[in-house]
Amino acid sequence: MNKKKSLWGIYRSIFIVLLSAFILSVSILSGFILSGFIFSGVTVFADDLPESRLPGTAGEERLRLLVDLTRTYSRKDPGKALSFGAEALVLMERMTVPGKDKIVLLKRLCNTAYRHADYPLVLKYTGQLKKITADLGDKPGEGYALLYTGRAYKY
């Protein structure tokens, strides 16, 4: 009887390990599938932003479109992304957009300019980013600006 109980305990342990491995593999697989759907949806949405809509827009709608185009082209065509981002920054200054929104755009522009190897532009954007984050007391934002300043000076 004692031997049967110990065998049952071993079988139960093996079953639990196998079940756990199965659940883990299913959750990892579903994560890959879902992330593919999510990221493909973002890509489809991002590719659905034609530049031809820019001439007919103004104000907040134009700003939103410029920021979306900056995000869209940040990897595909960094030159376009930087020009759209620069225009969005000018528009943000005119519209007195809150600093937190500028921080998001400036971080994206720092990253894009860095990947495009335009280090003077990285320094320009990190200077603006440091000023805004210091005014808001955003320590992680200041750290980000200092990180990209160091990276730009490295080259």
Side-chain angles (χ1 to χ4, degrees):
M1 189 72 166
N2 205 9
K3 205 173 201 181
K4 283 185 179 181
K5 282 186 179 182
S6 65
L7 281 177
W8 174 248
I10 292 171
Y11 290 144
R12 193 177 83 193
S13 298
I14 291 172
F15 176 75
I16 290 173
V17 168
L18 290 175
L19 183 64
S20 299
F22 175 75
I23 291 172
L24 179 66
S25 63
V26 168
S27 66
I28 290 172
L29 181 62
S30 66
F32 285 134
I33 291 170
L34 286 177
S35 66
F37 285 128
I38 291 169
F39 290 128
S40 67
V42 170
T43 304
V44 169
F45 174 72
D47 289 340
D48 194 29
L49 295 171
E51 297 169 51
S52 60
R53 286 179 33 204
L54 269 177
T57 60
E60 260 185 59
E61 183 183 354
R62 183 174 184 84
L63 178 61
R64 188 174 57 251
L65 185 58
L66 285 169
V67 170
D68 287 342
L69 286 169
T70 302
R71 185 190 72 238
T72 300
Y73 286 113
S74 67
R75 293 204 183 266
K76 292 179 186 177
D77 188 352
K80 276 186 178 182
L82 292 171
S83 67
F84 288 134
E87 187 179 345
L89 276 177
V90 170
L91 201 54
M92 282 182 170
E93 290 297 323
R94 279 193 229 144
M95 296 174 64
T96 61
V97 173
K100 290 189 178 206
D101 294 333
K102 289 179 191 173
I103 289 173
V104 172
L105 180 61
L106 282 169
K107 283 181 177 179
R108 181 170 290 130
L109 289 173
C110 287
N111 193 0
T112 304
Y114 178 76
R115 276 191 273 111
H116 194 53
D118 191 347
Y119 303 117
L121 196 57
V122 172
L123 294 174
K124 174 186 169 188
Y125 289 138
T126 55
Q128 292 177 17
L129 184 59
K130 280 191 282 190
K131 182 182 180 303
I132 292 172
T133 54
D135 290 346
L136 292 176
D138 180 10
K139 294 296 183 188
E142 286 183 75
Y144 188 92
L146 292 172
L147 171 71
Y148 272 91
T149 301
R151 285 181 175 178
Y153 277 119
K154 180 179 175 184
Y155 297 103

CSV table of all heavy atoms in Angstrom, one decimal, residues 35-59:
chain,number,residue,atom,x,y,z
A,35,SER,N,0.9,39.2,-30.3
A,35,SER,CA,1.7,40.3,-30.6
A,35,SER,C,1.8,40.5,-32.1
A,35,SER,O,1.9,41.7,-32.5
A,35,SER,CB,3.1,40.1,-30.0
A,35,SER,OG,3.8,39.0,-30.6
A,36,GLY,N,1.8,39.5,-32.8
A,36,GLY,CA,1.8,39.6,-34.3
A,36,GLY,C,0.6,40.4,-34.8
A,36,GLY,O,0.6,41.2,-35.6
A,37,PHE,N,-0.6,40.0,-34.2
A,37,PHE,CA,-1.8,40.7,-34.6
A,37,PHE,C,-1.8,42.2,-34.1
A,37,PHE,O,-2.1,43.1,-34.9
A,37,PHE,CB,-3.1,40.1,-34.0
A,37,PHE,CG,-3.5,38.8,-34.6
A,37,PHE,CD1,-3.6,37.6,-33.9
A,37,PHE,CD2,-3.6,38.7,-36.0
A,37,PHE,CE1,-4.0,36.5,-34.5
A,37,PHE,CE2,-4.0,37.6,-36.6
A,37,PHE,CZ,-4.2,36.4,-35.9
A,38,ILE,N,-1.3,42.4,-32.9
A,38,ILE,CA,-1.3,43.8,-32.4
A,38,ILE,C,-0.3,44.6,-33.2
A,38,ILE,O,-0.6,45.7,-33.7
A,38,ILE,CB,-0.9,43.8,-30.9
A,38,ILE,CG1,-2.0,43.2,-30.1
A,38,ILE,CG2,-0.5,45.2,-30.4
A,38,ILE,CD1,-1.6,42.9,-28.7
A,39,PHE,N,0.9,44.1,-33.4
A,39,PHE,CA,1.9,44.9,-34.2
A,39,PHE,C,1.5,45.1,-35.6
A,39,PHE,O,1.8,46.1,-36.2
A,39,PHE,CB,3.3,44.3,-34.0
A,39,PHE,CG,3.8,44.5,-32.6
A,39,PHE,CD1,4.3,43.5,-31.9
A,39,PHE,CD2,3.8,45.8,-32.0
A,39,PHE,CE1,4.8,43.6,-30.6
A,39,PHE,CE2,4.3,45.9,-30.7
A,39,PHE,CZ,4.8,44.9,-30.0
A,40,SER,N,0.9,44.1,-36.2
A,40,SER,CA,0.5,44.2,-37.6
A,40,SER,C,-0.6,45.2,-37.7
A,40,SER,O,-0.6,46.0,-38.7
A,40,SER,CB,0.1,42.9,-38.2
A,40,SER,OG,-1.1,42.4,-37.6
A,41,GLY,N,-1.5,45.3,-36.7
A,41,GLY,CA,-2.5,46.3,-36.7
A,41,GLY,C,-1.9,47.7,-36.6
A,41,GLY,O,-2.4,48.7,-37.3
A,42,VAL,N,-0.9,47.9,-35.8
A,42,VAL,CA,-0.2,49.2,-35.7
A,42,VAL,C,0.4,49.6,-37.0
A,42,VAL,O,0.3,50.7,-37.5
A,42,VAL,CB,0.8,49.2,-34.5
A,42,VAL,CG1,1.7,50.4,-34.6
A,42,VAL,CG2,0.1,49.1,-33.2
A,43,THR,N,1.1,48.6,-37.6
A,43,THR,CA,1.7,48.9,-38.9
A,43,THR,C,0.7,49.2,-40.0
A,43,THR,O,0.9,50.2,-40.7
A,43,THR,CB,2.5,47.6,-39.4
A,43,THR,OG1,3.4,47.2,-38.4
A,43,THR,CG2,3.3,47.9,-40.6
A,44,VAL,N,-0.4,48.5,-40.0
A,44,VAL,CA,-1.4,48.9,-41.0
A,44,VAL,C,-1.9,50.3,-40.7
A,44,VAL,O,-2.1,51.1,-41.6
A,44,VAL,CB,-2.6,47.8,-40.9
A,44,VAL,CG1,-3.8,48.3,-41.7
A,44,VAL,CG2,-2.1,46.5,-41.4
A,45,PHE,N,-2.2,50.6,-39.4
A,45,PHE,CA,-2.7,51.9,-39.1
A,45,PHE,C,-1.6,53.0,-39.5
A,45,PHE,O,-1.9,54.0,-40.0
A,45,PHE,CB,-3.0,52.0,-37.6
A,45,PHE,CG,-3.3,53.4,-37.2
A,45,PHE,CD1,-4.6,54.0,-37.5
A,45,PHE,CD2,-2.5,54.2,-36.4
A,45,PHE,CE1,-4.9,55.2,-37.1
A,45,PHE,CE2,-2.8,55.4,-36.0
A,45,PHE,CZ,-4.0,56.0,-36.4
A,46,ALA,N,-0.4,52.7,-39.2
A,46,ALA,CA,0.7,53.7,-39.5
A,46,ALA,C,0.9,53.9,-41.0
A,46,ALA,O,1.1,55.0,-41.4
A,46,ALA,CB,2.0,53.2,-38.8
A,47,ASP,N,0.8,52.8,-41.7
A,47,ASP,CA,0.9,52.9,-43.2
A,47,ASP,C,-0.3,53.6,-43.8
A,47,ASP,O,-0.3,54.0,-45.0
A,47,ASP,CB,1.1,51.5,-43.8
A,47,ASP,CG,2.4,50.9,-43.5
A,47,ASP,OD1,3.3,51.7,-43.1
A,47,ASP,OD2,2.6,49.7,-43.6
A,48,ASP,N,-1.4,53.7,-43.1
A,48,ASP,CA,-2.6,54.3,-43.6
A,48,ASP,C,-2.6,55.8,-43.4
A,48,ASP,O,-3.6,56.5,-43.4
A,48,ASP,CB,-3.8,53.7,-42.8
A,48,ASP,CG,-5.1,54.0,-43.5
A,48,ASP,OD1,-5.1,54.2,-44.7
A,48,ASP,OD2,-6.1,54.1,-42.8
A,49,LEU,N,-1.4,56.4,-43.1
A,49,LEU,CA,-1.3,57.9,-42.9
A,49,LEU,C,-0.6,58.5,-44.1
A,49,LEU,O,0.6,58.7,-44.1
A,49,LEU,CB,-0.5,58.2,-41.6
A,49,LEU,CG,-1.1,57.7,-40.4
A,49,LEU,CD1,-0.2,57.8,-39.2
A,49,LEU,CD2,-2.4,58.5,-40.1
A,50,PRO,N,-1.3,58.8,-45.2
A,50,PRO,CA,-0.6,59.3,-46.4
A,50,PRO,C,-0.2,60.8,-46.1
A,50,PRO,O,-0.9,61.5,-45.5
A,50,PRO,CB,-1.7,59.2,-47.4
A,50,PRO,CG,-3.0,59.2,-46.7
A,50,PRO,CD,-2.7,58.6,-45.4
A,51,GLU,N,0.9,61.1,-46.7
A,51,GLU,CA,1.4,62.5,-46.6
A,51,GLU,C,0.5,63.5,-47.4
A,51,GLU,O,0.5,64.7,-47.1
A,51,GLU,CB,2.8,62.6,-47.1
A,51,GLU,CG,3.8,61.8,-46.4
A,51,GLU,CD,5.1,61.7,-47.1
A,51,GLU,OE1,5.6,62.7,-47.5
A,51,GLU,OE2,5.6,60.6,-47.3
A,52,SER,N,-0.3,62.9,-48.3
A,52,SER,CA,-1.2,63.8,-49.1
A,52,SER,C,-2.3,64.5,-48.3
A,52,SER,O,-2.8,65.5,-48.7
A,52,SER,CB,-1.8,62.9,-50.2
A,52,SER,OG,-2.6,61.9,-49.7
A,53,ARG,N,-2.5,64.0,-47.0
A,53,ARG,CA,-3.5,64.6,-46.2
A,53,ARG,C,-3.0,65.9,-45.5
A,53,ARG,O,-3.7,66.6,-45.0
A,53,ARG,CB,-4.0,63.6,-45.1
A,53,ARG,CG,-4.9,62.6,-45.7
A,53,ARG,CD,-5.4,61.6,-44.7
A,53,ARG,NE,-5.6,62.1,-43.3
A,53,ARG,CZ,-5.5,61.3,-42.2
A,53,ARG,NH1,-5.3,60.0,-42.4
A,53,ARG,NH2,-5.7,61.8,-41.1
A,54,LEU,N,-1.7,66.0,-45.5
A,54,LEU,CA,-1.0,67.2,-44.8
A,54,LEU,C,-1.5,68.5,-45.4
A,54,LEU,O,-1.8,69.4,-44.6
A,54,LEU,CB,0.5,67.1,-44.9
A,54,LEU,CG,1.1,66.3,-43.7
A,54,LEU,CD1,2.6,66.3,-43.9
A,54,LEU,CD2,0.8,67.0,-42.4
A,55,PRO,N,-1.5,68.8,-46.7
A,55,PRO,CA,-1.8,70.1,-47.2
A,55,PRO,C,-3.2,70.6,-46.7
A,55,PRO,O,-3.4,71.8,-46.6
A,55,PRO,CB,-1.7,70.0,-48.7
A,55,PRO,CG,-0.8,68.8,-48.9
A,55,PRO,CD,-1.1,67.9,-47.8
A,56,GLY,N,-4.1,69.8,-46.5
A,56,GLY,CA,-5.5,70.2,-46.2
A,56,GLY,C,-5.8,70.3,-44.7
A,56,GLY,O,-6.9,70.5,-44.3
A,57,THR,N,-4.7,70.1,-43.9
A,57,THR,CA,-5.0,70.1,-42.4
A,57,THR,C,-4.3,71.4,-41.8
A,57,THR,O,-3.5,72.0,-42.3
A,57,THR,CB,-4.3,68.9,-41.8
A,57,THR,OG1,-2.9,68.9,-42.0
A,57,THR,CG2,-5.0,67.6,-42.3
A,58,ALA,N,-4.9,71.6,-40.6
A,58,ALA,CA,-4.3,72.8,-39.8
A,58,ALA,C,-4.6,72.5,-38.3
A,58,ALA,O,-5.4,71.7,-38.0
A,58,ALA,CB,-5.0,74.1,-40.2
A,59,GLY,N,-3.8,73.2,-37.5
A,59,GLY,CA,-4.1,73.2,-36.1
A,59,GLY,C,-3.8,71.8,-35.4
A,59,GLY,O,-2.8,71.2,-35.8
